Each structure stands twice: as structure tokens, then as C-alpha cells.
């Protein structure tokens, strides 16, 4: 029989150790008894208890492969969880294998100290894809409206922007610690760094707490943890005078009580003021007797979202600074 050998096989599911030195057929152990049985003309020969199987001793190359396997298992035993908010990305054995520098057969490379080598380009590609998946600032969005259809909302001032450099530095450091982990594998959860952090974290960073302004229906809704707390008619910017309220995803960036709003030709006192886009905001409008319908086309606001007083009070009391505001037709 051919000499046994220890090897590592790289597959898409992970690395596998193949040890061909185990349970080798040791013919010599039962040979003499078998010869005697033949010479004496026995019709059968019981091989039980004859130790016909044994393990071959490891050679120098086998020991090197076993050392590599031990090093691999320590590295692949690490676990890093990227806490992205709504999603938890787990970097376990399969994911960690994908960061290794490998040879043509897919086997990991070692440095001069016998340590696994991390492929920086693979790490950079991974972090770039992570940023691409989660960055929303400056991007238009698909939004499920209360009226039932999915609308495309232009980019506004609201959104998420991950700190690519910080995340790249973190992952490289974490993987280096995994390589050096030894008998105590790295097991940690990491919350990413942001250049701009949205109110909610996750791929859908609008989440389930937001203000929705449907300018076609002239309706405003406020959802808190998925529950609709405000459902009201409103009056948005006067489109007849080219003062239409800008579409986009914005956010409440301040809250003020008893404010006089001033502009060219007007000074209006409001009890509740929530700016969302420069000088455009949501406020009560005691001077209006009616809301909703087509009022905005001929007698709309200067761009703000005029809201009935009672509903505005509820919105002001519940919506926090940072709450996303989705404005669309």
C-alpha cells in the first residue's frame, strides 16, 4: 500500500484535514498466522484480534501540515459580529477564511514567523462593499407610502455614511488579533463608526419611526415604532407661486415653542416649530380654517408644512430631534 500522508483540502465550505495515516492495513501483523492456516489446510482463518490495522507514524511533512491545521483552527475559531443595527453580520469560520492570503490550491500562506497572512486587498474590498450596502446619504430611496404604492424619493439631508477608514482599520486590527489568538479565540461585537449617523441603523435607516408627508394627498403621518400616532390633513408649499415644498428625505433638526416665523412680506406666530430643511419646517397654522385637498395649489404655504394645531401638538410632544421626514408627491 502507498505510504500515508496528511494534507489539507480547501473547499468552498471550509478547510478539511485529510489524514491517510490512520487505520492502515498492517498485513505483517497477521501474515504468519495466515501462512500457517494455508499450510495446514484450514478452510477458514479468523482474523479477529490480530491487530491488522494500525496508524503510520507521522513524518516531518505531516507534522508541518498538522501544525498549520492547528494554526488554522485557532484563527477560524474566532467570531466577530458587526452590529449594523437591524442586521447583525457574523464573521465566522467561512467568512474569516475569505480574508486569508492563499496559494494556487487555495491553501493559506504563512509568513516568516509561521503565522497566517491576511490579504489586505480582500479586507479592503469587503469594507468597501459594506459601505456601499449601508451608505444612504445623498442617495434616492424607494419608500412604501401609506397610500399603498412604492415611491422614489429624491435624496435630502438625511442618511447614513460609514467611516470607511475607521472600519478598515478596525477590521485589519481584529483579523490580526485573530491570527495571533492562539488558544483564546477572539469573540467580540463591533458597532461601526459613522461620519453621519441616521436616526435608525441598518440597511433601511428610515426604520419604523418617521414622519411621512404625502403632498399629492396633502396628508401627514407620524409613525412611532410602526404605530401611527398622527394622521392629518396638511397644506404644503404653494405650487402656483413656485413655492412648492421640496421633495426628499430630511430630518427634524430642532424643536422650538412660540416662535415668530419671518420672511419677505410676512411674520407668522406659531406655537410649535420643527424645522427639517433649512428654513422649511412643520408647524401649526392658526390662521387656516381648512387643510388638505387642493389648497396648496392656490393658497399654499411659503414651503412649510402647515398642520392643524391639535395634531401638531401631538407630533411635537412625541417626535424627537433626528426623526426622519420623508416628503414626496
Amino acid at each position: 500500500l502507498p505510504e500515508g500522508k496528511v494534507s489539507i483540502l480547501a473547499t468552498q465550505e471550509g478547510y478539511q484535514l485529510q489524514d491517510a495515516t490512520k487505520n492502515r492495513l498492517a498485513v505483517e501483523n497477521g501474515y504468519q498466522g495466515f501462512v500457517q492456516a494455508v499450510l495446514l489446510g484450514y478452510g477458514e482463518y479468523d482474523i479477529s484480534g490480530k491487530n491488522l490495522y494500525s496508524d503510520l507514524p507521522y513524518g516531518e511533512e505531516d507534522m508541518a501540515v498538522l501544525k498549520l491545521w492547528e494554526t488554522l483552527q485557532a484563527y477560524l475559531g474566532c467570531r466577530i459580529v458587526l452590529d449594523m443595527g437591524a442586521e447583525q453580520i457574523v464573521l465566522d469560520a467561512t467568512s474569516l477564511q475569505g480574508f486569508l492570503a492563499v496559494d494556487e490550491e487555495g491553501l493559506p500562506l504563512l509568513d516568516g514567523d509561521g503565522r497566517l497572512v491576511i490579504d489586505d486587498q480582500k479586507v479592503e474590498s469587503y469594507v468597501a462593499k459594506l459601505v456601499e450596502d449601508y451608505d444612504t446619504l445623498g442617495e434616492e430611496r424607494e419608500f412604501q407610502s401609506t397610500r399603498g404604492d412604492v415611491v422614489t424619493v429624491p435624496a435630502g439631508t438625511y442618511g447614513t455614511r460609514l467611516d470607511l477608514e475607521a472600519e478598515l482599520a478596525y477590521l485589519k486590527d481584529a483579523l490580526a488579533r485573530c491570527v495571533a489568538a492562539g488558544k483564546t479565540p477572539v469573540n467580540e461585537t463591533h458597532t461601526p463608526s459613522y461620519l453621519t449617523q441616521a436616526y435608525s441603523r441598518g440597511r433601511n435607516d428610515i426604520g419604523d419611526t418617521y414622519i411621512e408627508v404625502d403632498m399629492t394627498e396633502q396628508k401627514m403621518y407620524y409613525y412611532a415604532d410602526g404605530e401611527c400616532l398622527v394622521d392629518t390633513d396638511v397644506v404644503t408649499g404653494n405650487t402656483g407661486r413656485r413655492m412648492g415644498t421640496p421633495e426628499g428625505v430630511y430630518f427634524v433638526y430642532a424643536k422650538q415653542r412660540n416662535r415668530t416665523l419671518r420672511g419677505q412680506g410676512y411674520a407668522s406666530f406659531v406655537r410649535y416649530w420643527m424645522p427639517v430643511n433649512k428654513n422649511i419646517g412643520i408647524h401649526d397654522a392658526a390662521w387656516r380654517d381648512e387643510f388638505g385637498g387642493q389648497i396648496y395649489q392656490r393658497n399654499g404655504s411659503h414651503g412649510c408644512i402647515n398642520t392643524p394645531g391639535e395634531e401638531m401638538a401631538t407630533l411635537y410632544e412625541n417626535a424627537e430631534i433626528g426623526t426622519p421626514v420623508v416628503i414626496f408627491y
Side-chain angles (χ1 to χ4, degrees):
L1 294 175
E3 184 180 351
K5 182 181 180 182
V6 179
S7 61
I8 298 174
L9 179 65
T11 71
Q12 291 184 345
E13 291 74 30
Y15 290 110
Q16 298 175 1
L17 180 67
Q18 297 181 322
D19 191 344
T21 68
K22 301 297 184 183
N23 295 318
R24 304 287 296 184
L25 183 60
V27 179
E28 64 279 4
N29 289 357
Y31 178 73
Q32 294 299 330
F34 176 73
V35 170
Q36 286 184 345
V38 171
L39 293 176
L40 294 175
Y42 294 164
E44 57 183 41
Y45 176 66
D46 184 5
I47 66 171
S48 62
K50 301 297 190 298
N51 297 322
L52 294 185
Y53 292 90
S54 64
D55 296 342
L56 295 178
Y58 291 130
E60 185 175 340
E61 291 185 6
D62 296 327
M63 294 301 294
V65 172
L66 290 173
K67 177 62 177 177
L68 173 58
W69 179 252
E70 181 182 339
T71 300
L72 260 178
Q73 294 312 294
Y75 170 76
L76 297 176
C78 296
R79 186 174 186 269
I80 300 170
V81 179
L82 303 180
D83 179 4
M84 307 305 294
E87 299 86 28
Q88 305 289 294
I89 300 176
V90 180
L91 302 181
D92 52 15
T94 302
S95 306
L96 294 174
Q97 176 180 337
F99 295 118
L100 293 174
V102 297
D103 61 18
E104 294 179 354
E105 296 180 354
L107 297 179
L109 299 176
L110 299 177
D111 63 16
D113 297 322
R115 290 188 173 184
L116 298 170
V117 178
I118 298 299
D119 188 325
D120 285 346
Q121 187 173 355
K122 292 179 180 179
V123 180
E124 291 165 6
S125 295
Y126 181 86
V127 174
K129 184 63 167 61
L130 187 72
V131 169
E132 179 183 339
D133 288 344
Y134 281 89
D135 275 11
T136 61
L137 189 64
E139 302 289 335
E140 66 179 20
R141 300 163 179 262
E142 298 297 307
F143 177 77
Q144 177 64 58
S145 70
T146 299
R147 70 192 183 207
D149 60 339
V150 176
V151 296
T152 300
V153 186
T157 56
Y158 180 83
T160 295
R161 179 168 291 167
L162 285 165
D163 187 335
L164 186 149
E165 295 301 324
E167 290 312 295
L168 185 58
Y170 164 75
L171 188 53
K172 286 184 176 181
D173 173 72
L175 293 174
R177 287 186 283 112
C178 287
V179 166
K183 296 182 179 180
T184 308
V186 173
N187 188 346
E188 64 189 32
T189 298
H190 170 70
T191 300
S193 299
Y194 296 89
L195 296 174
T196 302
Q197 184 171 338
Y199 188 77
S200 295
R201 295 194 306 115
R203 281 191 171 89
N204 173 21
D205 59 5
I206 293 176
D208 56 8
T209 297
Y210 57 87
I211 300 167
E212 174 185 351
V213 181
D214 182 340
M215 293 190 289
T216 296
E217 300 292 329
Q218 289 291 287
K219 297 280 291 185
M220 182 175 71
Y221 309 92
Y222 169 60
Y223 289 91
D225 296 326
E227 179 184 358
C228 187
L229 299 186
V230 173
D231 177 346
T232 181
D233 292 333
V234 294
V235 177
T236 60
N238 190 329
T239 56
R241 298 178 59 188
R242 297 184 179 179
M243 295 180 178
T245 304
E247 294 183 87
V249 183
Y250 305 99
F251 63 95
V252 176
Y253 68 82
K255 293 171 67 175
Q256 292 182 329
R257 290 292 311 272
N258 302 320
R259 168 79 183 271
T260 298
L261 306 178
R262 301 182 186 276
Q264 186 173 357
Y266 71 91
S268 303
F269 175 80
V270 299
R271 296 175 59 203
Y272 305 98
W273 168 239
M274 295 170 57
V276 301
N277 176 20
K278 298 180 181 178
N279 61 345
I280 293 175
I282 309 170
H283 60 76
D284 53 304
W287 55 90
R288 290 192 182 275
D289 296 324
E290 295 181 274
F291 295 85
Q294 305 301 310
I295 297 173
Y296 76 103
Q297 296 180 356
R298 51 184 170 76
N299 189 27
S301 71
H302 292 85
C304 290
I305 297 96
N306 290 181
T307 307
E310 185 175 346
E311 286 77 7
M312 187 63 216
T314 301
L315 180 66
Y316 188 92
E317 290 170 6
N318 289 277
E320 299 178 342
I321 291 177
T323 301
V325 182
V326 188
I327 305 174
F328 60 89
Y329 283 101

